[in-house]
Amino acid sequence: LLRRRDILEAARSVFSEKGFQTATMDEIAERAELSKPTIYLYFDSKEDLYKSIVLEDFWEVEERLKESFASDAGLVEKWRSIYLAYVEHCIENPEYVHISQQLLAPESRQRVSDNILEELDNHTDELLGYMAQLVEEGMEKGLARDDLAPRTIVLIAWRMTIGLLELCLSGRAAELGVDDYHELFESAFDVLKDGIVL
């Protein structure tokens, strides 16, 4: 298990830096300080290794968000808690952001099998679905505007947040004068909330 973990961590680093299409098993083996045949004892292919990393990252995000979903806080505070939990996970795990966003690039998707893409897309859809349910609950309680589809609101929030995360993780946010990331994302949530809550 320890050797498998070493391979996953090495691959996560290489995929984050180079992307799926340009990363090689030789580079992953070198980073893990193992032979390439040893890696193939644990993973069938580069694609299998990539899938294992992405799914593991999705499960970690899900586990973190489930704590906020289970909270007894009011609905808007639950939204805030979930939003900030996601942001904190991404800031603590920048490789997750880089690798998960690679899946949206057409050149990356063309090099991954349809079966794996479907499985990974289903996990993304499931996470977005959880959030859409909470927005829908707000609409049913008369707390949120109902002139937009819940999924539309969630997609806007997700992509806005990813854009800000990429600025922060690249160092560009600091160059642009933002040095308190916690305050930035608290403000981002407030902007989103004010556009949703009645």
Side-chain angles (χ1 to χ4, degrees):
L1 285 178
L2 185 59
R3 184 169 285 181
R4 187 177 191 278
R5 170 56 44 198
D6 289 342
I7 294 169
L8 284 169
E9 290 307 314
R12 182 176 278 107
S13 176
V14 173
F15 285 136
S16 175
E17 292 169 15
K18 300 205 164 189
F20 173 78
Q21 61 268 30
T22 54
T24 68
M25 292 295 263
D26 286 316
E27 290 170 317
I28 293 166
E30 183 178 346
R31 189 76 57 96
E33 299 181 351
L34 296 168
S35 69
K36 191 160 71 167
T38 299
I39 292 180
Y40 282 112
L41 292 175
Y42 294 88
F43 300 95
D44 294 336
S45 63
K46 183 173 82 166
E47 189 176 76
D48 181 38
L49 184 48
Y50 186 75
K51 170 189 167 182
S52 297
I53 289 167
V54 176
L55 288 179
E56 182 176 84
D57 286 341
F58 276 137
W59 292 327
E60 285 182 16
V61 170
E62 280 185 292
E63 285 305 307
R64 192 156 189 170
L65 296 187
K66 279 178 183 175
E67 295 177 20
S68 297
F69 278 114
S71 166
D72 292 329
L75 190 59
V76 175
E77 281 311 305
K78 187 180 284 193
W79 290 349
R80 182 187 299 275
S81 175
I82 292 167
Y83 179 82
L84 294 177
Y86 175 73
V87 166
E88 286 167 12
H89 178 84
C90 291
I91 288 176
E92 291 168 10
N93 301 278
E95 291 169 342
Y96 163 73
V97 178
H98 299 147
I99 292 171
S100 64
Q101 294 315 293
Q102 290 168 12
L103 283 174
L104 299 178
E107 61 271 18
S108 293
R109 295 180 70 83
Q110 288 169 3
R111 296 172 185 265
V112 180
S113 74
D114 290 342
N115 287 342
I116 288 181
L117 277 178
E118 183 178 1
E119 187 171 357
L120 301 180
D121 287 347
N122 285 342
H123 279 275
T124 299
D125 193 59
E126 188 176 350
L127 282 176
L128 295 175
Y130 286 142
M131 298 304 300
Q133 286 174 14
L134 286 178
V135 173
E136 189 170 357
E137 183 182 341
M139 292 174 175
E140 290 169 355
K141 292 181 176 179
L143 298 173
R145 58 188 291 181
D146 61 4
D147 58 327
L148 291 174
R151 183 58 67 106
T152 298
I153 292 172
V154 170
L155 286 174
I156 291 168
W158 174 43
R159 296 317 300 169
M160 183 183 100
T161 304
I162 288 295
L164 290 173
L165 281 165
E166 288 176 338
L167 276 178
C168 293
L169 295 174
S170 69
R172 283 290 292 143
E175 293 171 14
L176 294 169
V178 175
D179 52 10
D180 186 336
Y181 294 168
H182 183 75
E183 182 180 332
L184 172 66
F185 286 102
E186 285 278 4
S187 298
F189 177 81
D190 286 338
V191 168
L192 289 166
K193 179 194 70 176
D194 291 346
I196 300 169
V197 177
L198 295 174

